[in-house]
Amino acid sequence: MRVTTNLLFEKNFRAINANQSDLARVQEQLATGKKLLRPSDDPVGSAQIIRLTEDVNKIKQYQRKIDLAMNDLSAQDTALQSVQTLMNRARVLTVQSGNGILTEADKFAITEEIKQIRNQTLDLMNSQDSLGNYIFAGFQSETPAFEFIETLNENHVQFKGDDGANQIRISDSVTIQTTSSGQTVFNDVLARLGFQNLTVNGATVNKFNINNQDDFDVFHRNNFDTINPANNQFQLELTAANELTLINQGTGQTLDTYEFSNGGTTTIHGIEVNLSDVQVGDSVSFELETPKKQNIAQTLHNFAIGLSDPTLSDGEVRELITDTLVGIDNAMFQLGKESSSLGGRMNIAQSVKQSLFDDLVSTESALSTVQDLDYAEASAEFSQQETAINAALQSYPLLTRLSLFDYLR
Amino acid sequence: MIRTTDAFHIARTGLNASQQLLNTTSNNIANVNSEGYIRERTEFTAEEFGGVSRGKTERVIDQFAQTQVRHDTTRVAEKQAFYDNASRLDDILASEANSIAAGLNDTFGAIQLAADDPTDLSARQAVIGEMQGLVARVNSLGDYFDSKEIEIASQIDNTVETINTYVEEIAFLNENIAVVSASSNVNQPTELMNRRDNTILKLAELVDIRVIEGSNQGQGVVVNLAAGESLVMADGTFSAFQLFGEPDFRAVELQMRTAEQPNKQQTVINLKETKLGGKIGGLFDYRENILEPAQREVGVLGSSIAANLNEQNKKGMDLDLQIGGQLWQLPTTEALYYPDNSNTTSRALGRLSEDKSTDFMPVDFDVVIATDPDGGDGEFTADVTLRYANGERVLDETGQPLTDTITFNPTTDDFVETIGGFEIGFPDGEDYAAGDRFLLQPMRSLAKDVELFTKRPEDLALAKPLRVVSDIDNLGDARVGSTRISNTNTANFTADPEASIFTANGSLKTANDTPGGVPGPPASLLFTDANDFQILDAEGAVIATITDAPNLKDVLSYAEDNAATTGWPDEFSNLTDFPGFDFSIEGRPRAGDTFSIVFNTDGVNDSENGRFLADLRSEPLVRQSVGTRDNAASFNEAYSNLVGRVGSDTARSDVELEAAKVMKNQSSDWFESISGVSLDEEAANMIQYQQSYAAAARVLSAASELFDTILQAAR
């Protein structure tokens, strides 16, 4: 090939230019630490970077949310545990108050302590978080969840919130409930179930009261009818000399028959029955009480009032103690249920946090593979380019200095 | 025998020839750095009766090499123009500061944190702040596209001017070369030819041309466009490019006006811009295949973000305990009109339907009024055709063009919905006639014009507007599961089919808000058995009775879907979406359990709608294909798809550019090795010609001596 003067310059210039732009590129990579300087360097990789960066951000946000959720949950857990401790103490005091040898001074002391426990419980039910939100008030967190109005005749403890519960997302697929409403935790507690309107037709009733609350609860649960109140009327009739028959007066259905002896005691669905002077055809009828839900603070308040009321008979006091014990037990059951649900949610949050952490590590390493520069490789490439450009720069003047004119004298 | 007169003649022609050769060599040496200079050579032939003929100086040129250089120059220029512009967009998209993805991350991260604590005003403020940042990023991309559009239009304008100048110059040189050639039959007008070749090469840089050399010397060259249209004729006449900017002066199109000749009408030809090649082809290619599609895609992304955030926010309750409003403001588009319209002051307007965001497409709407308005200002129809930015029609999945016909009544309608999630309106009182044509480009300026509607942190609707409350005396363990809000239109539902249960003043419609004979909107749910329930209104009237429900999921939808057995009123079913919410019951209810539906008054700690707002981030909401909306991507995916597409187009053009450069280097090396000046070669030639000159001079002195000898002998 015929090499012309311009060709010689042009070719060398081109080579140096190309070397320089390669060198500049590697230098920019080394300076930024990034393999991809612009999307066109690796279009698929840069789209991946955007997605992976989003994933990393999302995981970090989830992690932060889990920390916040754990704070909220453990605040509730602490409150619930404190209430449980108080309930235990209240139960001990309630059992103690049934002891017949208590003096008036002892009773006063117990009453005072129960009032104290009631106040502490109310305080815990109105727990606030760091921003001043009432944590058990549901969605209406800016007003106290419970209000205690002592001057009323009944319903002294009133719930002012709602049963809203917040869910937060802690991973792409998992949401957990971070709040529990006071309505569910403290108010949704059944008071002792009972019967009312005992009417006697003919017989003499010696005993007709609940001595096995669990059996009675089962009977109540199975038979109570909210829609048609007439179906809650039951009649116990002596259908033969030694046979009592339980009839639902609303439906007219015969439920069961029981062996009976005049003056003897029978237990029917947890109700202790002792009748005398009974003729065949005589009957006793009663009505299932509508189940009532009672806040635990209300239960304690009722107990404190009753205990300090000197007009109550021993029987009434005994009933009151039983009511209170059942109320406390039901409350403990509800608290236990909430506690275990809280614990479960905290466990979920923990395990999600762990798997998010694993996710983060693998996502970040994937991101690094696409995005980050292999310094060893880049430095090697840099020195290689450097050698190339050095050689080009050195040979360039040597080559262009050659001219026939220099040899013509 | 030697005739002395012949010797003199031979010596003289030899001297002449050597001088001429030295001349040519010196000229070659002198022009070693002249651009476009082609090495010259002088050739001689021996004369029949002794001596050497007058030499003929010619350019040393290979037509094929030259053609190849022109062709490769065109390719490099085309790819260079494309790559230069594409790589700048590539850089812009790569920069963290402009990344919509980063803005989306920040915004949705802030929404998630605000949803964790909906009463925290500073967290809400952070959402507003991040949304402002996101809007700023979208806007700055929009501004970039806008300024690029103007820049490309003016580059095209300049290039067309330059092309016309070159074309004129070539025609002029053609004429001159013809004149000079006619006056000398020996030497080529090499300098003029070099200038012409130079100009042709410069023209080849701007546009792809084919050059046809005249068959004999002195004839002009013919320059054609690659597609065949003649630019320069051999006789010196030429055609000129002109730009056509209707209806959009920025989206100019190219036309060619034929040479002006007597007795022949001038014609105007529309050119296919992207087939032009060269710099101008590269610019058009960039505009039609990168800039305008990317601009509209960013528009679709921006409008999807805005529309979805707005729609979801409207389904919530804000911190002022009102139904949420819009957060972003989408602009209304005014159509570009065609100059042939019956009345050029009449407008057509367009806006996006925010509830149809999955239909948004990166396209323009071509609207042609099909019938004259009834009675001059009454009802008329208009045909809508969807077109891509380059004017091609949009086809659906079966290959049919996407078109629609709308009927518009200026007195009753503001906007009428058409396809593509778009609404078109013609202002009342303006005149239209059949054939009037408008071009609506909603996605083109959207990224530039979208803005935040509110800056109040309270306007963020993180709570849902109603709550379903389980009665405290419920005996079952059933709880309210998810509550879903689908419609919060506050219109009175006797008047508007879009109405929902909600009112404008933060409450639910009461039983009085219904037409006679129909119960009020649902207010409670009363279970009569575990799977049997009644839906009651606020007065206790039964709306529907459900027996043996298969499950307690979306109870209101179940009642409506089975209206025949449940008795759900037709008056409700006939509305678009009433009551506009639904909920599920979890757990097992017992007879007598009641769930009441109330407005979420004071429910500021509710963050369910906030969660839905945050969830928008990963939902497939941006349509990726015009054929079907099934193929949708999340905001982030849509953006990364755009970045990936621009990146791969840039990478492809980079590869093509490099390949074209290699080709051009090779062909110009080839051309240079034939036509370039080698100083060494010229030095050697010079010595050779000096020697031949000296030798010829010696012949002269020898002849002179011979003559003297003869004269002395004769004395």
Side-chain angles (χ1 to χ4, degrees), chain A residues 166-288:
Chain A
N166 267 334
Q167 306 267 347
I168 70 165
R169 185 172 292 289
I170 56 168
S171 84
D172 283 344
S173 51
V174 181
T175 53
I176 57 167
Q177 187 187 330
T178 50
T179 59
S180 301
S181 163
Q183 172 166 336
T184 322
V185 186
F186 304 115
N187 267 19
D188 196 6
V189 175
L190 277 180
R192 182 179 166 205
L193 297 172
F195 58 81
Q196 59 190 7
N197 296 337
L198 185 69
T199 43
V200 184
N201 181 13
T204 306
V205 176
N206 299 325
K207 263 186 187 168
F208 201 92
N209 52 6
I210 299 168
N211 74 342
N212 188 335
Q213 186 71 39
D214 289 346
D215 285 357
F216 180 75
D217 285 355
V218 171
F219 175 73
H220 192 287
R221 198 157 40 245
N222 290 341
N223 290 289
F224 185 74
D225 191 337
T226 35
I227 306 293
N228 194 350
N231 292 348
N232 294 328
Q233 298 279 353
F234 290 88
Q235 186 174 340
L236 208 52
E237 188 182 337
L238 194 72
T239 40
N242 53 358
E243 190 185 67
L244 270 175
T245 306
L246 184 63
I247 302 161
N248 185 322
Q249 286 181 308
T251 60
Q253 189 192 353
T254 300
L255 294 177
D256 210 345
T257 53
Y258 306 92
E259 223 174 85
F260 175 74
S261 62
N262 218 340
T265 305
T266 333
T267 304
I268 297 168
H269 293 302
I271 304 173
E272 197 178 25
V273 181
N274 187 331
L275 305 174
S276 52
D277 308 331
V278 201
Q279 309 295 319
V280 171
D282 283 357
S283 65
V284 182
S285 60
F286 62 94
E287 184 186 347
L288 293 180

Side-chain angles (χ1 to χ4, degrees), chain A residues 38 40 131 139 166 226 293, chain B residues 90-91 117 467 474 591 605:
Chain A
R38 45 194 61 82
S40 57
L131 285 161
F139 291 154
N166 267 334
T226 35
K293 297 199 174 167
Chain B
D90 194 36
D91 281 344
D117 204 335
R467 58 175 180 250
N474 284 357
N605 199 34

Side-chain angles (χ1 to χ4, degrees), chain A residues 1-7 10-11 14 34 37-44 46-48 50-51 53-55 57-58 61-62 64-65 68 72 129 131 133-135 138-143 161-169 172 175 178-179 183-184 187-190 220-227 291-293 334 337 402-405 408, chain B residues 29 32-33 39 90-91 93-94 101 105 108-110 112-113 115-120 464 467-475 479-480 526-528 590-593 600-608 611 615 617-618 636-637 639-641 643-644 647-648 650-651 665 668-670 672-684 686-687:
Chain A
M1 183 176 166
R2 185 172 167 271
V3 179
T4 65
T5 310
N6 280 335
L7 203 56
E10 176 78 26
K11 280 199 150 184
R14 228 184 268 151
K34 283 183 178 170
L37 298 170
R38 45 194 61 82
S40 57
D41 290 346
D42 177 0
V44 178
S46 28
Q48 257 177 347
I50 291 176
R51 288 182 195 139
T53 311
E54 192 208 1
D55 283 348
N57 281 329
K58 215 158 66 176
Q61 273 158 17
Y62 284 144
R64 189 166 163 201
K65 282 156 65 85
L68 290 173
D72 288 354
D129 67 9
L131 285 161
N133 290 320
Y134 291 90
I135 62 178
F139 291 154
Q140 300 167 53
S141 65
E142 303 212 307
T143 45
D162 53 58
D163 66 347
N166 267 334
Q167 306 267 347
I168 70 165
R169 185 172 292 289
D172 283 344
T175 53
T178 50
T179 59
Q183 172 166 336
T184 322
N187 267 19
D188 196 6
V189 175
L190 277 180
H220 192 287
R221 198 157 40 245
N222 290 341
N223 290 289
F224 185 74
D225 191 337
T226 35
I227 306 293
K292 225 169 59 190
K293 297 199 174 167
Q334 189 65 19
K337 215 168 76 176
L402 290 174
S403 170
L404 190 51
F405 284 103
L408 298 177
Chain B
I29 293 173
V32 67
N33 290 325
R39 176 166 68 107
D90 194 36
D91 281 344
L93 292 176
N105 277 337
F108 283 103
Q112 284 207 332
L113 287 180
D116 283 354
D117 204 335
T119 55
D120 186 357
K464 55 181 178 299
R467 58 175 180 250
V468 183
V469 184
S470 61
D471 201 272
I472 182 63
D473 290 325
N474 284 357
L475 296 175
R479 298 251 169 272
V480 181
L526 172 67
F527 277 87
T528 51
R590 279 185 63 182
D593 286 4
N600 198 0
T601 309
D602 289 336
V604 291
N605 199 34
D606 183 7
S607 68
E608 188 155 11
R611 193 151 51 83
D615 283 351
R617 135 193 271 188
S618 40
N636 238 307
E637 274 167 10
Y639 183 70
S640 73
N641 286 347
V643 171
S648 68
T650 311
N665 287 342
S668 63
D669 284 358
W670 177 25
E672 177 71 22
S673 83
I674 292 163
S675 300
V677 176
S678 163
L679 285 177
D680 287 352
E681 189 182 308
E682 301 302 335
M686 206 152 75
I687 296 163

Side-chain angles (χ1 to χ4, degrees), chain B residues 26-47:
Chain B
S26 314
N27 202 35
N28 281 345
I29 293 173
N31 281 302
V32 67
N33 290 325
S34 306
E35 198 200 337
Y37 179 78
I38 290 169
R39 176 166 68 107
E40 291 172 5
R41 185 171 58 196
T42 308
E43 279 177 351
F44 298 92
T45 45
E47 277 186 355

Side-chain angles (χ1 to χ4, degrees), chain B residues 82-393:
Chain B
F82 186 93
Y83 174 76
D84 283 352
N85 286 300
S87 70
R88 267 193 283 164
L89 179 57
D90 194 36
D91 281 344
I92 293 282
L93 292 176
S95 94
E96 191 68 16
N98 286 310
S99 165
I100 291 181
L104 285 168
N105 277 337
D106 294 347
T107 302
F108 283 103
I111 291 176
Q112 284 207 332
L113 287 180
D116 283 354
D117 204 335
T119 55
D120 186 357
L121 260 186
S122 64
R124 285 167 174 266
Q125 188 63 56
V127 175
I128 299 290
E130 297 296 355
M131 281 205 298
Q132 279 175 313
L134 179 58
V135 169
R137 284 163 196 260
V138 174
N139 286 163
S140 74
L141 259 185
D143 289 343
Y144 175 79
F145 286 128
D146 200 50
S147 68
K148 275 313 270 191
E149 258 191 336
I150 297 172
E151 188 195 316
I152 295 290
S154 81
Q155 273 195 47
I156 289 174
D157 199 34
N158 288 340
T159 312
V160 165
E161 291 285 309
T162 319
I163 289 175
N164 285 341
T165 314
Y166 288 159
V167 165
E168 207 171 327
E169 196 176 326
I170 294 166
F172 171 76
L173 287 167
N174 258 353
E175 260 180 290
N176 278 325
I177 289 167
V179 171
V180 175
S181 299
S183 63
S184 153
N185 55 357
V186 184
N187 284 339
Q188 285 182 327
T190 51
E191 166 51 18
L192 286 176
M193 289 167 84
N194 283 347
R195 269 175 60 189
R196 187 176 65 188
D197 283 347
N198 245 349
T199 312
I200 291 175
L201 189 64
K202 283 189 197 156
L203 181 62
E205 216 175 295
L206 302 181
V207 60
D208 194 6
I209 49 171
R210 299 280 176 273
V211 179
I212 302 157
E213 297 277 347
S215 53
N216 53 32
Q217 186 191 10
Q219 242 181 9
V221 294
V222 174
V223 181
N224 291 344
L225 287 179
E229 292 91 348
S230 298
L231 270 179
V232 183
M233 260 65 76
D235 60 1
T237 54
F238 61 94
S239 309
F241 278 12
Q242 64 184 21
L243 290 169
F244 178 73
E246 297 292 353
D248 181 2
F249 76 95
R250 285 189 199 168
V252 286
E253 291 164 22
L254 203 55
Q255 295 178 330
M256 201 167 75
R257 197 178 62 244
T258 55
E260 203 170 344
Q261 282 172 317
N263 311 325
K264 197 175 165 199
Q265 208 183 345
Q266 270 192 306
T267 49
V268 172
I269 309 164
N270 279 320
L271 299 173
K272 179 84 186 124
E273 291 88 355
T274 47
K275 297 271 187 278
L276 283 172
K279 184 182 176 188
I280 199 159
L283 290 174
F284 275 114
D285 195 11
Y286 167 71
R287 193 186 75 187
E288 291 198 353
N289 293 320
I290 300 268
L291 182 67
E292 290 184 334
Q295 181 183 36
R296 283 160 179 76
E297 276 173 47
V298 171
V300 169
L301 177 58
S303 55
S304 289
I305 296 170
N308 282 295
L309 284 173
N310 279 354
E311 282 296 302
Q312 192 60 52
N313 204 60
K314 285 179 188 166
K315 289 178 188 162
M317 182 185 76
D318 62 22
L319 205 53
D320 303 323
L321 307 181
Q322 301 296 317
I323 298 285
Q326 66 187 102
L327 295 173
W328 292 48
Q329 174 73 49
L330 287 171
T332 301
T333 323
E334 190 167 323
L336 299 163
Y337 60 88
Y338 284 77
D340 299 341
N341 283 2
S342 61
N343 188 341
T344 49
T345 55
S346 297
R347 294 167 298 157
L349 304 174
R351 69 176 187 200
L352 294 161
S353 337
E354 297 191 1
D355 54 342
K356 299 259 183 334
S357 73
T358 45
D359 285 349
F360 292 174
M361 285 181 263
V363 297
D364 296 343
F365 296 81
D366 187 1
V367 183
V368 181
I369 295 185
T371 59
D372 278 321
D374 189 23
D377 55 357
E379 201 169 86
F380 58 89
T381 61
D383 293 328
V384 182
T385 310
L386 267 58
R387 289 182 192 275
Y388 291 111
N390 61 9
E392 280 173 26
R393 285 187 299 182

Side-chain angles (χ1 to χ4, degrees), chain A residues 12 31 78 87 92 108 111 127 157 213-214 220 238 255 314 340 367 374 387 396:
Chain A
N12 272 292
T78 315
M87 288 303 118
V92 170
F108 180 74
T111 311
S127 299
V157 179
Q213 186 71 39
D214 289 346
H220 192 287
L238 194 72
L255 294 177
D314 277 0
S340 59
L367 183 61
D374 180 347
T387 317
Y396 178 62

